[in-house]
Amino acid sequence: MAQLKRTVIVASAMVALTACAPAGYNGANSGAAEPVAVAAAEPTAAVEPEASASPDAAATTAAPDAAPPADVELTDQLVGKKVARMGKVVTDEEGWVLYRFDKDSDDPPASNCVDKCAEVWPPALTDGSPQLSGVSDDKVGTITRQDGTRQITLGGWPLYRYIGDKKPGQWKGQGVGGTWFVAQPDGKKNLECLPTGTPKAVAPPSSSDAGAADSSYSY
């Protein structure tokens, strides 16, 4: 197998919501406030790996096709753990929190985040099977995207990063557009620490290019 290269309303609930929202966070427009660090904590209660897989324990999908282009960033590890306030999350090998998109499908697994959407929410790509910790190998698979790259799925849902997160451990993508949520180790939506209102995604990098101003992106 190819070696991977890299990559909840009662009144009391309002108190918990306020406690988990990052300082300076504006739910109406997550891009308006300067990103505030929400550092990942050490697991408060260990999430025991159900079946930590080695690179040879393949997700039951097709064998790797042609290797992706050299400049494609890959995700070579999925880590399921608990972090302060958010609870169960999945991160990549560098600690970046991973997300799932309600407009995607898990049956069959399919991604509907392309073009500008994929600029803001980079897919978690692979050229084989990621190493797993705290994630069961029977939940992990891959899909082939429109551009031919292979994206990791968890519980059938494609996984993504968010460029609005400025450092590992942040989860500023939680609840964006009412469709993006932190993924749990079983692929389900994490519904902890939901923001007030419906945050908007940051702008796609390409919209800041000279002569390319475009506010049509709304995911």
Side-chain angles (χ1 to χ4, degrees), residues 1 32 35 82 114-115 119 138 156 162 179 205:
M1 180 149 316
K82 285 187 176 181
V114 297
D115 302 326
E119 293 180 31
D138 63 358
Y162 178 48
T179 55

Side-chain angles (χ1 to χ4, degrees), residues 68-149:
D71 60 347
V72 170
E73 184 174 356
L74 301 179
T75 297
D76 61 18
Q77 188 174 12
L78 297 182
V79 180
K81 61 183 180 181
K82 285 187 176 181
V83 298
R85 296 176 287 182
M86 181 56 73
K88 294 180 180 180
V89 305
V90 177
T91 73
D92 66 9
E93 67 279 0
E94 296 182 349
W96 294 97
V97 172
L98 300 176
Y99 299 84
R100 43 166 284 178
F101 184 33
D102 279 359
K103 293 184 180 181
D104 283 349
S105 169
D106 66 331
D107 187 18
S111 171
N112 288 306
C113 180
V114 297
D115 302 326
K116 286 183 171 62
C117 177
E119 293 180 31
V120 177
W121 304 91
L125 301 177
T126 183
D127 64 357
S129 296
Q131 297 183 28
L132 308 178
S133 175
V135 176
S136 179
D137 61 354
D138 63 358
K139 295 289 186 182
V140 180
T142 64
I143 57 170
T144 299
R145 294 180 57 80
Q146 294 178 0
D147 60 2
T149 57

